[in-house]
Amino acid sequence: SCLEQKMSVLTSVLLFSPHFDAFGLEHRIADPQGHIKKELDYIAAQAQEDASLPFWPGDNYANYYVSLRFAHFLSLAGARGILPPETEFFSLDRLVEYLDKPANRPPWYGQDNMLQAYSLYVRSLYGRQPLQELQTLAKAEKLDNASRALLGLTALEIGDRSLARKLYTELKRYFKPGTRGLEIDDAYTGSQGFWGSDIERTAISLLFMASLNPEDEMLTRLTNSLVLRQNRGAWNSTSSAYWAMLALG
């Protein structure tokens, strides 16, 4: 499997292993933390000389989005006491330095608002203060819901609650109550990669809104909209499932 898929599977273990008993699973991982650490070592061993990650194990081509996802996952794992791996080429500090450098971003980075917003959010998790980039992107024309929500999460992370509230108010304008969920209007036009499904965009919106205002009555409808998009307990891709788990977990 590709590294993105591995990280999505690991996310389910990271978030839900404390509740395995409640799920009544016949087969379960005996040592979740040990399993996660082993898989993280495997992923880190795929790193290029600049600490970036490829899409496929063994490839020699850096993938900026997969590198972002690994940094994001390591932040989630670190909050649960799991230390980042280190290899000859990989360390967490070097990975964040790779993400910081504009020269490492794909040529179409400037045309993908969601990728830009995700980059700002992940880097803010490691103490970066990308205020100017944040303010510039927040003023972009036809800003989509996921980008707006990721910018809001970034604003919360760097302590700018005023901007976060502004983005929150703007985001809610695109949601209209439906029978059980919400009718969602979105300016998203697609990405250059495998990310950006409607499920991901709904999940990221939910994650931001719940972070800023967990008492908002619209959260129940937004949660219903996300749950109704699953099919037999699964969403349409591991990338979509990653964000859905973060939003619902």
Side-chain angles (χ1 to χ4, degrees):
S1 60
C2 69
L3 297 185
E4 181 276 323
Q5 291 171 334
K6 280 187 170 292
M7 284 181 248
S8 294
V9 173
L10 283 181
T11 302
S12 68
V13 179
L14 182 71
L15 296 181
F16 301 117
S17 58
H19 312 291
F20 277 174
D21 288 339
F23 294 144
L25 299 175
E26 182 177 348
H27 302 287
R28 66 188 70 184
I29 298 170
D31 178 12
Q33 283 217 354
H35 174 77
I36 291 171
K37 290 176 182 177
K38 180 180 178 181
E39 289 295 290
L40 291 182
D41 287 342
Y42 173 82
I43 294 172
Q46 313 305 315
Q48 313 297 301
E49 291 186 8
D50 57 6
S52 64
L53 274 297
F55 183 80
W56 292 105
D59 269 2
N60 295 319
Y61 301 98
N63 186 292
Y64 190 79
Y65 184 86
V66 172
S67 301
L68 276 174
R69 277 282 298 276
F70 196 42
H72 189 190
F73 182 85
L74 290 176
S75 174
L76 298 170
R80 291 161 175 80
I82 299 176
L83 297 177
E86 290 198 16
T87 69
E88 178 184 0
F89 293 137
F90 183 85
S91 72
L92 182 53
D93 287 343
R94 293 187 64 232
L95 175 60
V96 178
E97 288 174 3
Y98 165 84
L99 297 173
D100 275 336
K101 294 179 181 178
N104 292 329
R105 297 165 193 167
W108 35 263
Y109 179 85
Q111 285 75 52
D112 192 329
N113 289 341
M114 185 175 170
L115 182 60
Q116 293 180 69
Y118 188 33
S119 176
L120 294 179
Y121 175 53
V122 171
R123 287 185 282 140
S124 75
L125 295 173
Y126 292 98
R128 302 319 196 248
Q129 298 281 323
L131 185 58
Q132 184 174 354
E133 291 176 82
L134 174 61
Q135 292 174 338
T136 299
L137 189 54
K139 296 175 183 177
E141 293 185 12
K142 298 182 179 180
L143 193 64
D144 60 277
N145 294 343
S147 298
R148 190 174 281 108
L150 286 165
L151 294 177
L153 288 167
T154 306
L156 286 176
E157 191 65 34
I158 68 175
D160 192 340
R161 293 189 68 85
S162 177
L163 178 55
R165 285 192 294 268
K166 179 177 181 293
L167 290 162
Y168 179 88
T169 300
E170 292 176 357
L171 181 61
K172 289 187 66 173
R173 294 174 186 162
Y174 295 92
F175 299 146
K176 295 180 180 179
T179 305
R180 292 180 58 191
L182 291 172
E183 295 179 6
I184 302 174
D185 184 20
D186 198 349
Y188 191 69
T189 57
S191 75
Q192 297 288 330
F194 53 86
W195 56 89
S197 73
D198 63 327
I199 294 169
E200 291 181 55
R201 303 197 307 275
T202 300
I204 293 169
S205 298
L206 175 58
L207 185 63
F208 167 52
M209 292 176 66
S211 298
L212 183 61
N213 184 10
E215 303 302 321
D216 192 325
E217 61 182 17
M218 192 175 287
L219 293 179
T220 299
R221 289 183 176 275
L222 195 53
T223 299
N224 287 340
S225 295
L226 182 58
V227 171
L228 288 170
R229 283 175 167 81
Q230 62 179 326
N231 181 19
R232 297 181 180 180
W235 285 275
N236 66 345
S237 70
T238 52
S239 184
S240 295
Y242 175 79
W243 286 107
M245 287 188 290
L246 293 184
L248 299 174

